[in-house]
Amino acid sequence: QVQLVESGGGLVQPGGSLRLSCAASVRIFSNYAMGWYRQAPGKQRELVARISSGGRTNYEDSVKGRFTISRDNAKNTVYLQMNSLKPEDTAVYYCNAENQFIGSLNYWGQGTQVTVSS
């Protein structure tokens, strides 16, 4: 079965850094666009960053210049490097996999908590 497992969340001070990882058990990893989403209490889930199978990226405006998404197809893993973290980045971060040929093949991880606080 398909499984996405996030890791790397935790508590960090403002201005600090974290790197999130998501390991995917999908059959052909390169067929999937990979994304990171986040959901803060009382708010809708929002796209943070996305990377296509070809390496094209897009970011939510508030994280541009601070966050970097990358993927390692040999390891079936996507990463989110988060620098200059702010309290408003506090949320549960979810990994997403979307098949670029069959859109109904769309999977989510269980999430990892990121808390930015002094």
Side-chain angles (χ1 to χ4, degrees):
Q1 69 238 26
V2 172
Q3 186 170 292
L4 305 181
V5 180
E6 301 102 331
S7 62
L11 175 64
V12 65
Q13 293 189 161
S17 297
L18 287 172
R19 189 176 78 152
L20 306 183
S21 299
C22 173
S25 65
V26 294
R27 183 69 176 88
I28 306 176
F29 184 70
S30 61
N31 285 350
Y32 290 81
M34 301 297 297
W36 287 98
Y37 292 71
R38 66 187 179 189
Q39 187 165 26
K43 295 188 176 182
Q44 288 188 282
R45 187 173 299 187
E46 66 175 356
L47 175 67
V48 178
R50 186 177 184 271
I51 184 166
S52 73
S53 61
R56 297 184 300 275
T57 60
N58 60 280
Y59 298 89
E60 196 275 326
D61 286 343
S62 70
V63 310
K64 287 181 179 177
R66 299 189 297 123
F67 291 10
T68 302
I69 189 169
S70 61
R71 65 191 294 159
D72 185 340
N73 288 350
K75 295 183 177 180
N76 280 27
T77 300
V78 64
Y79 305 94
L80 185 68
Q81 178 66 46
M82 304 186 293
N83 299 326
S84 302
L85 283 161
K86 304 174 180 180
E88 51 262 45
D89 295 318
T90 296
V92 177
Y93 284 70
Y94 297 91
C95 180
N96 172 259
E98 179 186 359
N99 192 293
Q100 295 185 103
F101 302 96
I102 308 172
S104 61
L105 299 182
N106 193 300
Y107 307 101
W108 294 91
Q110 291 186 338
T112 185
Q113 177 71 48
V114 172
T115 302
V116 185
S117 177
S118 58

